[in-house]
């Protein structure tokens, strides 16, 4: 079976620099890879910088500590949903139901906590189970019955929309009063706690990378120079500490940022360090080769939809925390399209076989950054949609050009 072509940006750099013995050679090898089309997250990072420069030049409030904290909170629910959608896109399918599925999760959560007086942990578990079951049913219809995912999830979109209306009934609005849920997006960390978490996360990252380096060296495989690993760890500390300091100039870093980091780390490990992730990439890259290699196509596809459904439900919990209430419009608007756009803008392929969790997170920052910036300028929703469409097309164009470069260089 042909190995999956999708890797993390760091793995692309590691593969390119496998024969490099020092930092200088590793950086030169990375640049050769970039010129050959192995761009990783570079385009989306450049895009984020461009968005920051443009909107700050038009309105200085965009790059303020207050707006930075607001943006993190605004990004959180979309990013959580986009992380789940990435798993479905990797297997070359699509999930249009995630928006209203998150709405169903919001309503169920509100009613369990309010009317039924469930413990918070039990209500959260129940909501996540509902999301997983919804994903299982849709995945089964796609993988086992053979229905197109576009049609199945479009039916799910309509059905979950109706379910939201049924569950709301004549209540009009379900108010979220549980303090634990409210704290998810409305509690802010002291600066010292934020700095400590950054250091712990960076050290954990470094330990994982060094352990991987030792395993590869023991197997006679190419490894990253130690100073490159150290440079990455230091870079994480600098960026993370800078973000914490900047947020502390306002209310502080929101608690939901910790949730995003935990999900980013956990789902990245699932996708790139487990058999489940390898099977997802294999099925998305070449289903027939995956089948001949003994990979269960049905099981793998159902798993992808279950992860997407679970993350949609978790996104609904974050939405409920941010909004503090649920009404008949829960899960509506552009949530599902923005979630898919966030993953694609970040570099996840619509044709399967390639994607990262960090891509979804960064793509969500682009989507909400545009929305936030244009909101500060007082522009209408119409302008926001047009600009988002242009950004999405630009991302797909960059991806197409990069793929052609990889084919010319023999890397794809």
């Amino acid at each position: 079976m042909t190995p999956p072509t999708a890797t993390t940006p760091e793995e692309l750099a590691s593969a390119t620099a496998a024969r490099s013995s020092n930092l200088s050679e590793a950086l030169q090898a990375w640049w050769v890879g970039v010129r050959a089309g192995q761009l990783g997250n570079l385009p989306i990072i450049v895009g984020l910088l461009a968005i920051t420069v443009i909107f700050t030049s038009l309105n200085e409030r965009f790059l303020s500590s207050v707006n930075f904290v607001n943006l993190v909170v605004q990004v959180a629910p979309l990013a959580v949903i986009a992380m789940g959608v990435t798993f479905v896109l990797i297997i070359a399918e699509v999930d249009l139901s995630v928006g209203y599925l998150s709405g169903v999760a919001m309503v169920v959560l509100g009613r369990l906590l309010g009317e039924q007086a469930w413990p918070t942990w039990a209500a959260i578990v129940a909501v996540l189970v509902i999301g997983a079951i919804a994903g299982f049913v849709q995945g089964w219809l796609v993988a086992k019955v053979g229905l197109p995912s576009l049609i199945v999830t479009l039916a799910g979109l309509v059905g979950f929309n109706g379910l939201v209306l049924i569950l709301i009934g004549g209540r009009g609005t379900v108010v979220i009063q549980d303090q634990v849920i409210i704290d998810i997006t409305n509690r802010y960390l002291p600066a010292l706690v934020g700095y400590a978490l950054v250091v712990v996360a960076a050290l954990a990252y470094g330990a994982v990378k060094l352990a991987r380096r030792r395993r590869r060296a023991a197997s006679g495989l190419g490894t990253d120079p130690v100073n490159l690993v150290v440079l990455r760890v230091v870079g994480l500390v600098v960026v993370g500490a800078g973000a914490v300091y900047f947020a502390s100039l306002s209310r502080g870093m929101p608690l939901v940022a910790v949730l995003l980091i935990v999900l980013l780390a956990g789902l990245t490990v699932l996708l790139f360090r487990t058999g489940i992730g390898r099977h997802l990439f294999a099925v998305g890259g070449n289903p027939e080769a995956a089948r001949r290699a003994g990979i269960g196509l049905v099981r793998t596809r159902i798993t992808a939809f279950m992860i997407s459904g679970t993350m949609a439900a978790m996104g609904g919990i974050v939405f409920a925390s941010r909004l503090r209430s649920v009404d008949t419009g829960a899960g509506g608007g552009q949530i599902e399209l923005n979630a898919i756009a966030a993953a694609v803008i970040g570099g996840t392929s619509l044709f399967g076989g390639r994607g990262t969790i960090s891509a979804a997170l960064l793509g969500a920052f682009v989507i909400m950054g545009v929305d936030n910036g244009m909101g500060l300028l007082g522009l209408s929703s119409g302008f926001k949609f047009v600009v988002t469409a242009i950004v999405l097309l630009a991302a797909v164009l960059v991806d197409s050009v990069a793929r052609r470069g990889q084919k010319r260089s023999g890397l794809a």
Side-chain angles (χ1 to χ4, degrees):
M1 181 184 70
T2 302
T5 59
T7 53
T8 65
E10 291 178 357
E11 288 174 326
L12 287 173
S14 297
T16 305
R19 296 183 178 88
S20 303
S21 58
N22 57 55
L23 180 59
S24 177
E25 291 180 3
L27 292 176
Q28 291 176 8
W30 171 80
W31 179 244
V32 170
V34 169
R35 294 179 62 183
Q38 293 182 338
L39 301 180
N41 285 339
L42 183 60
I44 192 68
I45 293 174
V46 172
L48 281 171
L49 292 175
I51 289 173
T52 301
V53 171
I54 291 172
F55 283 117
T56 302
S57 65
L58 296 174
N59 189 327
E60 62 182 14
R61 287 185 298 166
F62 182 79
L63 194 59
S64 65
S65 58
V66 174
N67 194 54
F68 173 69
V69 173
N70 290 339
L71 184 58
V72 172
V73 174
Q74 292 168 5
V75 162
L78 177 63
V80 171
I81 297 174
M83 289 177 187
V85 169
T86 298
F87 285 82
V88 174
L89 294 178
I90 285 174
I91 62 170
E93 302 290 355
V94 67
D95 190 348
L96 298 177
S97 68
V98 290
Y100 279 111
L101 179 53
S102 71
V104 171
M106 293 169 64
V107 179
V108 171
L109 179 71
R111 292 192 58 180
L112 289 179
L113 292 175
E115 299 174 13
Q116 305 298 323
W118 279 37
T120 306
W121 67 267
I124 292 175
V125 170
V127 165
L128 295 180
V129 169
I130 290 173
I133 293 174
F136 174 85
V137 172
Q138 293 186 120
W140 184 82
L141 291 173
V142 172
K144 188 67 174 179
V145 181
L147 300 181
S149 60
L150 177 67
I151 302 302
V152 170
T153 58
L154 181 60
L157 181 154
V158 176
F160 292 140
N161 184 14
L163 191 55
V164 167
L165 299 177
I166 293 172
L167 291 173
I168 288 289
R171 295 170 183 80
T173 300
V174 177
V175 179
I176 305 295
Q177 297 179 319
D178 186 271
Q179 193 59 46
V180 174
I181 299 298
I182 292 175
D183 282 348
I184 294 175
T185 58
N186 294 280
R187 184 176 180 181
Y188 303 93
L189 301 175
L192 289 178
V193 175
Y195 292 136
L197 291 175
V198 168
V199 172
V200 170
L203 291 177
Y205 170 83
V208 170
K209 288 300 177 183
L210 289 175
R212 181 171 180 268
R213 185 180 185 278
R214 286 195 296 270
R215 289 196 301 270
R216 291 180 62 86
S219 302
L221 301 175
T223 61
D224 289 336
V226 174
N227 49 2
L228 179 59
V229 176
V230 173
L231 182 62
R232 289 171 176 166
V233 172
V234 172
L236 281 177
V237 172
V238 171
V239 173
V244 171
Y245 171 76
F246 196 52
S248 68
L249 297 178
S250 176
R251 289 158 288 175
M253 187 63 72
L255 180 62
V256 73
V258 178
L259 174 63
L260 290 179
I261 293 173
V262 171
L263 290 175
L264 173 64
L267 294 177
T268 297
V269 170
L270 176 64
L271 195 56
F272 292 100
R273 297 289 181 263
T274 68
I276 293 175
R278 289 190 289 272
H279 291 176
L280 289 169
F281 281 123
V283 171
N286 192 327
E288 180 58 24
R291 184 188 66 80
R292 293 184 179 183
I295 295 175
L297 302 185
V298 172
R299 181 179 65 253
T300 301
R301 286 173 172 147
I302 290 177
T303 298
F305 278 94
M306 289 183 67
I307 294 173
S308 180
T310 303
M311 294 301 292
M314 185 170 292
I317 295 172
V318 179
F319 263 123
S321 172
R322 178 187 165 197
L323 301 175
R324 299 195 184 195
S325 64
V326 186
D327 57 27
T328 54
Q334 304 292 318
I335 295 176
E336 63 281 335
L337 298 181
N338 283 343
I340 295 172
V344 173
I345 287 173
T348 300
S349 175
L350 284 169
F351 302 101
R354 188 164 60 88
T356 64
I357 304 304
S358 60
L361 179 59
L362 294 174
F365 269 100
V366 169
I367 294 288
M368 296 310 300
V370 170
D371 183 85
N372 179 285
M374 299 190 77
L376 290 175
L377 296 177
L379 299 177
S380 67
S381 297
F383 283 100
K384 295 178 184 178
F385 294 153
V386 171
V387 173
T388 301
I390 293 173
V391 172
L392 177 59
L393 288 175
V396 175
L397 177 62
V398 170
D399 177 61
S400 177
V401 172
R403 279 179 173 271
R404 292 177 184 176
Q406 291 177 25
K407 288 180 179 180
R408 285 195 300 268
S409 62
L411 297 175

